Amino acid sequence: MTAPVNTPSQRIDALRQAMTTHGIDAWLVPSSDPHLSEYLPGHWQGREWLTGFTGSVGTLLVTHDFAGLWVDSRYWVQADKELSGSGIEMMKVAQGQQILAPIDWLDVNHTGAITLGLDGAVLPLAAHRAFTARLGESVTIKSDRDLLEEIWLDRPALPQAPVEPHDAAFTGQTRPDRLAQLRQAMNEAGADAHLISTLDDIAWLFNLRGSDVDYNPVFLAHALVDTHHVRLFIDQDKVSAVLREALADDGVFLHDYAEALDALTRLPESTRLLIDPARVTLSLVQALPGQVTLVEAFQPTTLAKACKSEAEIDHIRSAMTRDGAALCRLLCWLEATLERGESITELTIDARLTAERTREKHFISRSFPTIAGFSANGALPHYRATEAAHASIEGQGLLLIDSGAQYLDGTTDITRVIPVGEPTPAQRADYTRVLKGMMALSRTRFPEGIEAPRLDAIARAPLWEAGLDYGHGTGHGVGYFLNVHEGPQVISRGALPTPQTAMREGMITSIEPGLYRPNQWGIRIENLVANRLVTDVDTLDGDAFLEFETLTLCPIDTRLIEPALLREDEMTWLDDYHRTVFERLSPTLDDETRAWLAEKTQPLAL
């Protein structure tokens, strides 16, 4: 194809031409890659290239007379703006339902036999099964080609970043330890081989890190583990000779990244292959010989990775101390700069905060793009300031800062809201109710093994009392120098409370209720917490209970609190938290920032 395809409408037209060539009536483009990642290398950002929508989640469906992008409430305002003039309709959907909603639309709006096309290399096996069950025999699914290869002429190449070992001083377990643990789980499942494609699981299993994906220290690879051998399919140019030798010493042998499919086609027919249908793609499974037995189970490394060891949690506490110090320096500087009347923009916040974090030991990168939203921009949960569109921080309003960092010894994610000028009574009331929700869940004790989604209502209750709510989840799992969003636990009313989402000791999760007034302000207060065993009470029949240890260290701005809305026990919790923040951070701070922190952590309770 030689015609330019520089705008979303031109790109959709080009896609429709390719659909006609291949006899396809509808084409589905999820936000996905062959590893089912949340954050994608540029090569697989086809949905963004086609639509111009820059949000991280959304599913595109294109027919010959319709194009729609399904997004949840976090992105409705953003998608409406970014899709303007493209001919692509923004379709509202409940959070977590983007992948099935277009299929439901297709089922309702098309009658008779049709052909649905999609790239099977980026679709979860579980999603394909759901599509088939929902659509029935009238729809033929073609999944054997990627039409973007025909129309995306300047498609980015695969990333080439080097792979490095994660130092044993931080991991607490060796590669052989983790491989032995995995093989035990495979044996218990009755499998003699296991296919892993999710990048954070691979990085964790092999104690390796990379930078193929922005903000996530992972690298592109597939892994095939059996009882005697381990094959890691990776661009071998990324691996030094020294690291290759160390991997071989541990029984891990490298093969080219593109050889994974061929290796699957050559598996012995007697193989009992463990797969997680939610974590492998359709194309990988379709490559298997028909006689291979699939052992379908939850991926063992996903739960093992989520349950941090005591040594890892100790490292994370250290990372939180350094991260909190960087944030305090930023907030101290921000307050002083505003008092002097100097010009600051949302972009200034991101640059300054990143500079402060860069000063800290073991800093690697941000863990996601910083959200610094002032006034109305803060009401967009996933707002991003750009050079072309950003706000100056001046006058009166609320500044929401959601940011995080990757350190060799931990991953951080924190949100704070700062008043600029004198806050209004309405802002104080909103802020205090969000704070009450955050504290309510932070103080909760719960049975070990309870499904994480069931905890969601606890954080919402103080908002519900006032007829208020928010459209996103309350908490997500967080990796250990890995992805800032990791499963299996998720605290969200939009998630199914399955056994896989059970809360276990050592898991690290965010608690981040919010409240958003469109075109006015947004409020979100976020800490990371670790699941700890309750040891000071006797439970019935010796049942294990968990409680949260708050890991994040940064003051919560009390200038926005409406004291009349807080109970005495809530004030006591906040005072205790601030006492811990001061004790942990003050020895690491300069005199000016220490004095600022002392003021910000003064007790509320009399």
Side-chain angles (χ1 to χ4, degrees), residues 291-303:
Q291 293 76 17
V292 166
T293 300
L294 294 183
V295 180
E296 298 188 12
F298 187 69
Q299 191 158 277
T301 51
T302 300
L303 180 59

Side-chain angles (χ1 to χ4, degrees), residues 154-200:
D154 57 350
R155 189 173 190 172
L158 296 183
Q160 298 291 318
V163 174
E164 302 289 347
H166 191 200
D167 196 290
F170 300 117
T171 62
Q173 284 184 305
T174 65
R175 253 188 308 274
D177 289 339
R178 290 183 171 173
L179 286 167
Q181 183 181 354
L182 173 58
R183 284 178 168 133
Q184 180 179 348
M186 291 165 52
N187 182 62
E188 292 171 356
D192 50 38
H194 179 32
L195 171 64
I196 309 174
S197 288
T198 43
L199 302 183
D200 55 338

Side-chain angles (χ1 to χ4, degrees), residues 288-478:
L288 296 168
Q291 293 76 17
V292 166
T293 300
L294 294 183
V295 180
E296 298 188 12
F298 187 69
Q299 191 158 277
T301 51
T302 300
L303 180 59
K305 170 171 56 65
C307 298
K308 279 65 177 178
S309 68
E310 197 62 43
E312 288 173 326
I313 291 177
D314 278 342
H315 285 303
I316 292 165
R317 292 190 188 102
S318 177
M320 289 291 180
T321 300
R322 301 193 306 277
D323 199 59
L327 282 155
C328 285
R329 293 195 300 269
L330 176 279
L331 294 174
C332 176
W333 165 84
L334 172 63
E335 193 168 311
T337 304
L338 290 173
E339 287 178 357
R340 292 193 298 267
E342 296 180 15
S343 176
I344 302 176
T345 73
E346 294 165 336
L347 295 176
T348 313
I349 299 298
D350 185 13
R352 180 80 184 208
L353 180 51
T354 300
E356 293 293 351
R357 282 181 163 133
T358 302
R359 293 171 52 187
E360 295 297 334
K361 185 179 180 182
H362 301 322
F363 173 82
I364 299 297
S365 71
R366 296 178 295 172
S367 57
F368 58 94
T370 299
I371 300 170
F374 183 57
S375 293
N377 291 340
L380 306 175
H382 281 230
Y383 170 75
R384 298 287 185 273
T386 66
E387 290 287 350
H390 60 269
S392 295
I393 301 168
E394 57 190 4
Q396 192 281 333
L398 302 183
L399 173 62
L400 185 152
I401 305 173
D402 186 351
S403 67
Q406 296 284 6
Y407 300 92
L408 290 174
D409 52 352
T411 300
T412 70
D413 183 1
I414 174 175
T415 309
R416 291 294 185 264
V417 176
I418 310 303
V420 178
E422 183 64 26
T424 67
Q427 290 170 337
R428 292 178 187 272
D430 282 356
Y431 181 89
T432 306
R433 290 189 173 100
V434 172
L435 175 59
K436 285 168 70 72
M438 190 276 287
M439 291 192 295
L441 186 51
S442 298
R443 301 170 63 196
T444 297
R445 289 178 167 182
F446 47 92
E448 183 176 28
I450 194 172
E451 298 91 342
R454 299 190 188 279
L455 302 176
D456 180 82
I458 296 170
R460 295 181 192 269
L463 290 157
W464 286 350
E465 288 176 0
L468 303 169
D469 203 359
Y470 50 96
H472 56 74
T474 296
H476 55 82
V478 177

